Amino acid sequence: MPSHARERGRSAWSPRGKRMKPARRDANDASTWAALAAQHLPGHNLPREFFVDPAVHRHDVDQFFLGHWILAGHIASIPRAGDYFLYDIGFESIIVVRDDNGAVRAAMNVCRHRGSRVAIEEYGHCREFVCPLHGWKYALDGTLQAAPNMPATFDESRHGLAKLKAQVVAGVIFLALECAADFTPLRRDLDAYCAPYDLSATRIAYHRRYLCPANWKLVFATFLDLHTSGAAFPQMRQVMANAEYAVPAADRAPQGELDYTCRREPIRPGFVTQSEDGTAVAPLLGDAATLDSGVTVIRVLSSWIVICSDYAAIVRLTPLEAQVTEMDVTWLVHESAVEGVDYDAPRLSWLWRANVERALKLASDNQLGVNSTRYVPGPFAPDEAELDAWVSWYVARFA
Ligand code: FES
């Protein structure tokens, strides 16, 4: 693991070991958020507070992660009934589990008694969740089944874990806690773009996680650069050299209440996939009949699904603290592929390891710059139109 890639930790770690000043603003004061949003000059980058303020971070988690459909992971990580994983966002923790019918369920990992985390291990398998503090037992769907020492009048049915909505498209798990937006358009578009690759019939070939010492919006913007110009990403330039981009403008814009984009792009002429030498690195996915020299790029809020004909990569960006973002990357191959026979993990993961490690460095340097009291938001260039549109969407929703 490179020196700037760290094992995941939940300490109050911040860039260069320095703690930011605690926030003074009232996180529930809507007028405060509106006043802050009003400081944004259209066509320009965001003001400093959006990147450094812990109160803004908490508001972001509420507004954009608990209040939006979010990509949580892939069903290949929980193949059996009772398999679960935890998805932590800021102070929040979500249990994502397979129930006995194979459906994906999700609930807040907060006991309805005195608030303990119910599930502790990041990945696990169980028949029920038992709170470690006083033994309240929850079914896989979060329903409270038993509450020791409570009086006979206690109503278990009113004390289940807070449930999230869960949807699975092409094997990818999406969750929503407080989001009334219709999932239908997102499902329709993801189904259409993913159909040739049948990502529900894949296995995890490789997985890496990094902690980036930067605000999630800086990391996000760096990834938008990667997918639009790629100028600061040598390996991306290598696989996309001389490719002719023809991206419909409508595919680039945030989609109203739901922020997502889908597109198909050609890769470098002569390359059949995004690999170091341009040759295939794994068996074909799904029904894709040929290696067609293209890549499908889907973004949902701050996460990406990138699909070549022979492998897919899911890049999930999650805010953990005001200046700490988790970068979780999962590589998928056909479910029948065998490591060492059909694919080699280092060769398969070459591009996205390089991209993510480069993004980590660029975003962390960006954070150090905007931490300066002399940082002034500058204007976006014409080729930053996608970021410009996203920032406008973000500011409108922030207030
Ligand atoms: S806090 Fe969970 S059982 Fe008491």
Side-chain angles (χ1 to χ4, degrees):
M1 183 176 288
S3 60
H4 49 269
R6 299 167 187 264
E7 292 294 337
R8 183 179 186 175
R10 304 310 312 277
S11 65
W13 178 79
S14 60
R16 301 200 170 172
K18 295 180 181 176
R19 282 180 178 273
M20 300 305 298
K21 289 181 181 177
R24 292 180 185 164
R25 75 183 75 254
D26 178 357
N28 295 315
D29 185 350
S31 63
T32 301
W33 303 129
L36 185 55
Q39 292 179 22
H40 172 244
L41 191 61
H44 290 65
N45 204 15
L46 291 164
R48 178 176 181 272
E49 284 176 289
F50 285 92
F51 302 123
V52 304
D53 189 328
V56 171
H57 158 71
R58 288 193 291 274
H59 186 59
D60 275 357
V61 170
D62 277 345
Q63 197 78 346
F64 294 93
F65 287 83
L66 300 184
H68 194 280
W69 283 97
I70 50 173
L71 188 158
H74 191 272
I75 56 172
S77 63
I78 47 172
R80 302 170 300 163
D83 286 350
Y84 73 88
F85 68 86
L86 304 183
Y87 181 25
D88 292 355
I89 309 169
F91 292 109
E92 310 296 348
S93 178
I94 299 168
I95 302 171
V96 185
V97 62
R98 281 272 196 143
D99 72 11
D100 290 330
N101 298 317
V104 174
R105 305 277 193 165
M108 297 304 294
N109 188 14
V110 183
C111 182
R112 291 295 307 282
H113 180 213
R114 280 169 39 192
S116 172
R117 291 275 172 98
V118 175
I120 307 303
E121 301 300 324
E122 188 177 0
Y123 291 91
H125 176 87
C126 65
R127 299 307 313 153
E128 61 188 359
F129 295 103
V130 181
C131 180
L133 205 50
H134 309 99
W136 284 28
K137 295 180 180 177
Y138 299 90
L140 296 181
D141 70 353
T143 303
L144 181 63
Q145 293 186 312
N149 303 322
M150 296 303 287
T153 55
F154 177 70
D155 185 356
E156 278 94 350
S157 69
R158 298 180 59 195
H159 292 83
L161 300 179
K163 296 178 183 177
L164 286 85
K165 291 175 279 191
Q167 296 276 354
V168 177
V169 188
V172 182
I173 301 167
F174 294 91
L175 306 177
L177 179 65
E178 294 159 353
C179 178
D182 184 7
F183 190 78
T184 305
L186 182 54
R187 172 177 291 283
R188 178 199 62 214
D189 290 344
L190 263 62
D191 270 339
Y193 275 85
C194 295
Y197 310 103
D198 194 8
L199 296 187
S200 61
T202 55
R203 61 184 295 263
I204 295 174
Y206 195 58
H207 176 245
R208 286 290 295 268
R209 183 172 290 169
Y210 306 81
L211 289 186
C212 179
N215 182 270
W216 73 278
K217 297 182 291 291
L218 293 176
V219 184
F220 171 82
T222 304
F223 272 86
L224 272 192
D225 288 344
L226 192 164
H227 285 289
T228 49
S229 69
F233 297 85
Q235 290 80 4
M236 196 66 166
R237 285 204 313 273
Q238 180 178 331
V239 301
M240 300 299 280
N242 302 316
E244 292 186 10
Y245 289 79
V247 183
D251 279 0
R252 290 181 173 274
Q255 310 284 312
E257 271 299 291
L258 290 181
D259 175 35
Y260 72 97
T261 57
C262 306
R263 58 204 196 213
R264 182 79 178 159
E265 297 176 349
I267 58 177
R268 177 177 178 164
F271 276 41
V272 298
T273 189
Q274 288 188 319
S275 67
E276 187 167 14
D277 64 4
T279 63
V281 293
L284 288 172
L285 292 169
D287 297 327
T290 57
L291 290 157
D292 68 354
S293 302
V295 58
T296 294
V297 181
I298 298 166
R299 177 181 65 79
V300 180
L301 190 61
S302 62
S303 294
W304 276 265
I305 309 167
V306 181
I307 315 170
C308 290
S309 299
D310 55 347
Y311 78 95
I314 297 177
V315 182
R316 188 187 74 184
L317 305 183
T318 306
L320 296 184
E321 298 177 18
Q323 297 189 32
V324 183
T325 299
E326 179 190 86
M327 309 159 79
D328 183 281
V329 193
T330 301
W331 286 262
L332 301 170
V333 294
H334 192 280
E335 61 184 357
S336 67
V338 177
E339 184 170 10
V341 178
D342 297 313
Y343 70 92
D344 173 62
R347 183 166 176 254
L348 174 83
S349 60
W350 166 79
L351 177 65
W352 283 97
R353 277 188 293 116
N355 283 344
V356 171
E357 289 165 14
R358 180 70 177 142
L360 190 158
K361 180 70 171 76
L362 291 166
S364 56
D365 287 343
N366 198 165
Q367 181 72 60
L368 294 175
V370 300
N371 282 349
S372 167
T373 56
R374 296 300 183 266
Y375 159 66
V376 178
F380 291 125
D383 68 356
E384 295 173 303
E386 187 167 359
L387 177 59
D388 188 4
W390 187 85
V391 168
S392 296
W393 175 85
Y394 167 87
V395 170
R397 192 183 175 105
F398 179 86

